[in-house]
Amino acid sequence: MQRTKIKICGLKRPEDISLVNREKPDFVGFVFAKSKRQVNVAQVAALTALLDAGIQTVGVFVDEPAEGILMAVRTCSLNVVQLHGTETLAYIVNLKKMLPQEVLVWKAIRVKNSSSLSEMAVVSADRFLLDAWHPGAAGGNGISFDWTCLQNLSEPYILAGGLTPENVAGAIKILSPWAVDVSSGVEINGMKDMEKLQHFMAAVRKNET
């Protein structure tokens, strides 16, 4: 079985960096968009300076002007730009021209049902992140969606939305996503929790062969 990659999103504090440096996920995410987990460029630059070199960094943006994303990428040494808004094909094409060639672009799709996946055919991205649709919120809600609509999807994708240490192994068994993304599922009172993070990563890694 292909190893499922792990992204821990919504890091805000040096303590969060200490946790991920210990547990070694593949990716960590920093939310630049308006959110309870929002951080700014100066904060992220300070946090990424503490991060182990082997962990890839993802900046999460919602309908941000391309120039702002480019500045964040340069200042914070981001490896991936994750777009979580209504960004169009034209916007993404222009953004990719501006970014360093090695920086990847992920596009989030808020999934209501199987018809939501049609966006994957008309938007250009290096990977798609499939998250739960919720009115008035771009993501990070801790809610799941009907995974059965993904069972025939052959394109590699990142599964997000409502994942926890208790359900992630089942999701991987059913869907075999390229990666899984968690934020609130490894938190207590809005803060990343060591025990939950360890249990989540152990649940993912027990599927590795």
Side-chain angles (χ1 to χ4, degrees), residues 83 87-93 96 105-107 119-128:
L83 304 175
E87 298 87 3
T88 63
L89 172 60
Y91 172 96
I92 295 173
V93 168
K96 288 175 74 70
V105 174
W106 295 353
K107 179 68 177 79
E119 186 177 351
M120 297 174 71
V122 295
V123 172
S124 175
D126 295 295
R127 284 285 186 271
F128 289 95

Side-chain angles (χ1 to χ4, degrees), residues 93-206:
V93 168
N94 179 62
L95 176 64
K96 288 175 74 70
K97 288 178 181 177
M98 296 172 63
L99 292 172
Q101 188 174 5
E102 67 274 12
V103 175
L104 302 180
V105 174
W106 295 353
K107 179 68 177 79
I109 295 177
R110 298 161 65 195
V111 180
K112 264 187 175 181
N113 48 48
S114 58
S115 64
S116 304
L117 304 178
S118 61
E119 186 177 351
M120 297 174 71
V122 295
V123 172
S124 175
D126 295 295
R127 284 285 186 271
F128 289 95
L129 181 142
L130 306 181
D131 199 357
W133 180 89
H134 186 272
N141 308 298
I143 19 183
S144 188
F145 60 96
D146 182 6
W147 294 332
T148 60
C149 68
L150 309 181
Q151 286 182 297
N152 296 319
L153 190 60
S154 58
E155 182 172 342
Y157 61 90
I158 303 109
L159 179 65
L163 293 175
T164 67
E166 292 73 34
N167 69 12
V168 69
I172 292 170
K173 184 176 181 180
I174 296 168
L175 301 172
S176 299
W178 178 75
V180 290
D181 183 338
V182 67
S183 187
S184 61
V186 291
E187 292 179 349
I188 293 178
N189 297 325
M191 299 295 177
K192 295 294 183 284
D193 177 73
M194 171 61 84
E195 186 174 349
K196 282 181 172 286
L197 181 56
Q198 288 175 332
H199 287 172
F200 184 90
M201 298 196 63
V204 176
R205 288 172 171 164
K206 78 176 185 180

